[in-house]
Amino acid sequence: MQGTERDLNYKETELCLGLPGGGGGGGGENEVESSPKTTGKRGFSETVDLKLNLQSKEAGMDLNQNLETCSKQTACTKDPSKPPAKAQVLGWPPVRSYRKNIMANQKNSSEECEKAAFVKVSMDGAPYLRKVDLKMYNSYQKLSDALAKMFSSFTMGNYGSQGMIDFMNESKLMDLLNSSDYVPTYEDKDGDWMLVGDVPWEMFVESCKRLRIMKGSEAIGLAPRAMEKCKSRA
Amino acid sequence: MQKKVACSFPDEVLEHVFSFIQSDKDRNAVSMVCKSWYEIERWCRRKIFIGNCYAVSPRMVIRRFPKVRSIELKGKPHFADFNLVPDGWGGYVLPWIAEMAGAYPWLEEIRLKRMVVTDECLELIAKSFKNFKVLVLFSCEGFSTDGLAAIAASCMNLRELDLRDSDVDDLGGHWLSHFPETYTSLVSLNSSCLGSDEVSLSALERLVGRCTNLRTLRLNRAVPLDKIANILGRAPQLVDFGTGTYGADLQSDVFSSLAGAFSSCKELRSLSGFWDVVPAYLPAIYPVCSRLTSLNLSYVTIQSPDLVKLLRHCPSLQRLLVLDYIEDSGLEALSSSCKDLQELRVFPSDPFGEEPNVSLTEQGLVSVCLACPKLQSVLYFCRRMSNVALVTIAQNCPNLTRFRLCIIEPRTADFLTLEPLDVGFGAIVEHCKDLRRLSLSGLLTDRVFEYIGRYAKKLEMLSVAFAGESDLGLHHVLSGCESLRKLEIRDCPFGDKALLANASKLETMRSLWMSSCAVSFGACKLLGQKMPRLNVEVIDESGPPDSRPDSCPVDKLYIYRSVAGPRFDMPPFVWTMDEDSALQVHALHVAEYNRKPDWIGVGTYEESIQGLRAKMPFVLYLAELSNTSQCSSQPLLSGDTTLTPPRPLLRLPIETLESDDKTQRSKEGKYMIKMRYSMNPTICFEIRPISTRSFPGV
């Protein structure tokens, strides 16, 4: 099934601990050949027994070293030793989103419990859908940043000081639609597709059922409808 | 001259004997006795369980077991339930359905868990399997009620349709009316996950009325309370019933007909549903409570006294799912009423709140464990725990097989001593010798893993979060837990050492998940290079891992054993560490999210071929999406990529694709290449052209 050049020579699969090229312990414990004598290095457990006190420190040091190296690289942003802000830990506690959403929609719930607001996000041309919890953000800008991370070829236009699109200004609107490659749109409770940014953030979270990031040129078709709806609300 | 002792029976006799052997383990053992038993066994194996759909390819399965009637497949890793696996990761069932459509025309049962199922898949099932009986879609997604309508319309012998916890695009209840009036075979229907407000009540009632073998019926929320009596009246033989909404303005006539309907259901043993409960309606179920063995109140947001009142009527209860509104006092009451309890799950009502909103502590669990000796399975969310409590639980419930404790705040210490909870969990694994599944939480050092490695010899699945101090912890688990099949770890300081030192252990397991740990990209590459029977996949949404130094930790890592080799349907944020770990075949996408049959392209033809740096021979076939079981007999392009660049051995001009005018196509020729696994070293691909149609729904 694989290419015919698969080499099943166990010697080849002998592993050394640590990173490639680095030092550290001896051969893997379960290998066919016993290498420690030939290489003169000790097995992992022996190393551990002798250096038990140091082991955790070493691991800690390795971790910090890795992180230092990485922080010099702009692309590497992960810092696993620092726990994220409490409300933001992804996937914790381990409650299934199905259950979170159901609980959020309970009409009986008299408490002000944290309701999740998961909506699907699709982007034209991208072969996969994403889901976001709108409650995780408190402004259009934050949402924009998150979407930009998920769909790397997408950047949203400027949302102005109040964070809303000025729909009354038609030329400004057209500028927005022409300037960005993609604009975010959303389906609201009425089933209409609207441009994101037409209502205050809280209202948007309440009414947004799903998001779709489409080409600016396609979205231009929505603009008049959006303006109409805006006018009727005002 | 060979003695044919083992073959003194004719094949038919052996086959008959084997037909009494149902378990996979036993069947596997049988097939290893000798070649002739292997042959006989494989022809008569009817049921297949594949715990990881990427561990083997459809064709491999079909080649070995040509007469399968029932298949179970699992896709995404378990942590996908908690949004740790980005959408688009994979788990597409279409390649399986497409292959089985041709190979298993008599397939009767398909059970899927955490897989992406499209309407096209459902339509293909409906069309291909004439004797189809069972469809279970557990936590699946990607399909709508249109697909269900196709199943309903075509599968005359359908017995079971179970959509539990799936994410279904519910377009309204009309799909139910696609069951023909002549259809009467339904035994089990679980549509409780459907979210639309619309449901076709008359179609539902008629369906229930004519299916006299119906045993399980779980309704969705849209079915109102006042319809329950009518439905139950048509199905008094039900064993397992899930209500829809269980709340309405209190009306005495509604109440009495409800109570009457419940009391006529003499076989009822299991109840669930109960959304939006109005407590005054709960007594309507009292007539059946004494016989109930299973009760799911996990969506019931009523307070402890009302819950206790109900539970006092259920002395036969074996399985209870409930919210933490039950509180310690309620669990105490439970422990005195329900001595037969085997499974308890307590869910958090306010998981993100900073302060506890209910008085539920470790005491509740302890009181149940002290009083219910048959307890085997526990899932418990709480905010504090102590070693003393865990030791008590361990000593009083040595029969526990599943113990999942979630202390909501990560790294919470023993609230009495402020020490780690190592000793407590150590007692659990030491006393509960049959423990198969364990989830840890709270403040934990490497010591707890030492206990686990030493004692937890039957442990098959371990979930770890925010625990441990060093690689030693991981090493204890990997080197000590002999039965370990699935290990999932998040936010622990485990790095390269333990992983690399125990690399061969990973081949004895189904899978390993590590996210937000400290495994470096270099270690992943090394592992991928040295272990050909492991697929090492790095998930990183911040960009290609090789744009950073090898020492940089990867975001998420998923390692699983496979005889099918690396998969090719990965999204751009998943990288496979293969022999040559510079390979990134993410240019090959399979996008099955689209509900309607459509073709989606991801790059130019030239780009796709460039992306095919798989260093394996390949053949490209032309196929249409709507007809995936067949492809053109003429290969479009084949090449031997061991030579660089790939050299086409046979080429059909691209123009022949463009002449087929099913969709708009530009000269840039956007194509998608889909992987088709094959038995011989050739990898077959299908090129699919794209349309410029927009996403459905707009």
Side-chain angles (χ1 to χ4, degrees), chain A residues 1-8 10 12-20 28-31 44-45 48 52 55-56 58-59 62-63 66-67 69-70 73 75-78 80-81 83-84 86-87 89-100 102-103 105-109 111 113-114 118 120 122-131 149-150 187 193 210 212 214 218, chain B residues 60 81-84 86-88 139 141 165 167 192-193 221 275-278 298-299 301 323 325 347-348 350-352 354 357 381 406-411 465-466 470 472 475 490 496-497 500-504 516-518 520 522 530 532 541 548-549 551-553 555 564-566 572-573 578-579 589 591 593 602 616 642 677-681 683 694-698:
Chain A
M1 166 89 216
Q2 310 288 345
T4 46
E5 310 87 278
R6 292 273 186 216
D7 191 351
L8 295 175
Y10 276 95
E12 299 267 299
T13 63
E14 177 192 335
L15 294 168
C16 40
L17 293 174
L19 302 173
E29 290 184 296
N30 300 318
E31 297 310 313
F44 181 87
S45 51
V48 160
L52 198 54
Q55 187 62 30
S56 31
E58 261 180 17
D62 282 345
L63 186 60
N66 286 347
L67 294 175
T69 324
C70 288
Q73 304 290 330
C76 177
T77 52
K78 281 291 172 186
S81 62
K86 181 170 178 179
V89 179
L90 179 65
W92 190 268
V95 178
R96 302 189 50 222
S97 42
Y98 174 75
R99 182 169 291 281
K100 272 192 276 195
I102 296 289
M103 290 302 299
N105 291 332
Q106 288 276 19
K107 295 174 216 158
N108 253 11
S109 178
E111 304 175 1
C113 54
E114 183 76 23
F118 282 97
K120 291 189 182 166
S122 63
M123 175 163 159
D124 287 2
Y128 47 90
L129 290 187
R130 307 305 301 273
K131 278 194 208 127
K149 280 207 192 96
M150 285 182 208
E187 183 181 9
W193 283 88
R210 66 175 175 196
R212 182 184 154 202
M214 63 171 80
E218 276 194 56
Chain B
M60 286 173 166
D81 284 355
F82 315 124
N83 296 328
L84 287 176
D87 284 348
S139 295
E141 57 175 343
D165 295 351
D167 185 3
S192 54
C193 61
R221 203 165 173 186
W275 287 286
D276 314 309
V277 157
V278 164
S298 61
Y299 303 114
T301 53
L323 285 170
Y325 290 124
F347 295 98
D350 183 17
F352 304 109
E354 301 249 350
N357 61 325
F381 284 80
C406 178
I407 305 167
I408 289 178
E409 178 66 33
R411 302 191 187 93
F466 304 104
S470 75
L472 197 50
H475 176 69
R490 61 162 297 175
D496 301 340
K497 297 198 176 77
L500 294 175
N502 292 281
S504 50
S516 304
C517 296
S520 72
K530 298 293 188 187
E541 294 179 270
R548 299 187 285 281
S551 55
C552 247
D555 181 21
F573 47 83
D578 202 352
E579 273 189 310
H589 297 164
Y593 250 103
V602 293
M616 284 181 258
T642 53
Y677 295 102
S678 75
M679 236 64 64
N680 46 36
I683 312 290
S694 50
F695 268 69
V698 181

Side-chain angles (χ1 to χ4, degrees), chain A:
Chain A
M1 166 89 216
Q2 310 288 345
T4 46
E5 310 87 278
R6 292 273 186 216
D7 191 351
L8 295 175
N9 186 340
Y10 276 95
K11 203 158 180 179
E12 299 267 299
T13 63
E14 177 192 335
L15 294 168
C16 40
L17 293 174
L19 302 173
E29 290 184 296
N30 300 318
E31 297 310 313
V32 173
E33 261 111 285
S34 62
S35 55
K37 295 179 182 57
T38 47
T39 59
K41 295 176 185 172
R42 294 192 213 90
F44 181 87
S45 51
E46 295 170 73
T47 315
V48 160
D49 284 343
L50 292 174
K51 297 188 189 173
L52 198 54
N53 289 336
L54 298 174
Q55 187 62 30
S56 31
K57 263 197 221 161
E58 261 180 17
M61 269 162 51
D62 282 345
L63 186 60
N64 287 334
Q65 267 171 7
N66 286 347
L67 294 175
E68 266 179 45
T69 324
C70 288
S71 57
K72 290 176 185 132
Q73 304 290 330
T74 47
C76 177
T77 52
K78 281 291 172 186
D79 184 358
S81 62
K82 183 169 64 170
K86 181 170 178 179
Q88 306 284 325
V89 179
L90 179 65
W92 190 268
V95 178
R96 302 189 50 222
S97 42
Y98 174 75
R99 182 169 291 281
K100 272 192 276 195
N101 275 347
I102 296 289
M103 290 302 299
N105 291 332
Q106 288 276 19
K107 295 174 216 158
N108 253 11
S109 178
S110 52
E111 304 175 1
E112 204 45 59
C113 54
E114 183 76 23
K115 301 177 190 183
F118 282 97
V119 296
K120 291 189 182 166
V121 187
S122 63
M123 175 163 159
D124 287 2
Y128 47 90
L129 290 187
R130 307 305 301 273
K131 278 194 208 127
V132 289
D133 177 3
L134 293 177
K135 291 281 178 174
M136 297 272 282
Y137 316 103
N138 54 17
S139 69
Y140 284 115
Q141 195 53 52
K142 292 261 161 63
L143 176 66
S144 162
D145 292 340
L147 290 178
K149 280 207 192 96
M150 285 182 208
F151 300 99
S152 49
S153 54
F154 161 67
T155 45
M156 264 157 62
N158 192 346
Y159 272 95
S161 55
Q162 253 131 20
M164 286 166 56
I165 297 178
D166 185 359
F167 275 73
M168 295 304 117
N169 187 334
E170 186 168 343
S171 61
K172 237 185 177 176
L173 186 60
M174 286 306 155
D175 279 346
L176 175 71
L177 293 174
N178 286 323
S179 65
S180 359
D181 285 328
Y182 290 96
V183 286
T185 63
Y186 72 102
E187 183 181 9
D188 70 5
K189 286 208 158 103
D190 304 330
D192 294 324
W193 283 88
M194 312 293 291
L195 287 175
V196 166
D198 57 341
V199 293
W201 172 258
E202 290 76 18
M203 209 191 290
F204 167 72
V205 173
E206 290 301 313
S207 58
C208 172
K209 270 174 41 184
R210 66 175 175 196
L211 283 163
R212 182 184 154 202
I213 302 173
M214 63 171 80
K215 288 219 152 72
S217 45
E218 276 194 56
I220 283 180
L222 292 178
R225 218 190 322 156
M227 288 173 65
E228 278 305 311
K229 203 155 180 174
C230 242
K231 280 181 196 151
S232 65
R233 277 197 202 112

Side-chain angles (χ1 to χ4, degrees), chain B residues 474 495-503 506 512 514 519 527 557 559:
Chain B
L474 181 57
D496 301 340
K497 297 198 176 77
L499 200 58
L500 294 175
N502 292 281
L506 299 177
L512 167 66
M514 291 178 77
V519 180
L527 208 53
L557 175 62
I559 302 175

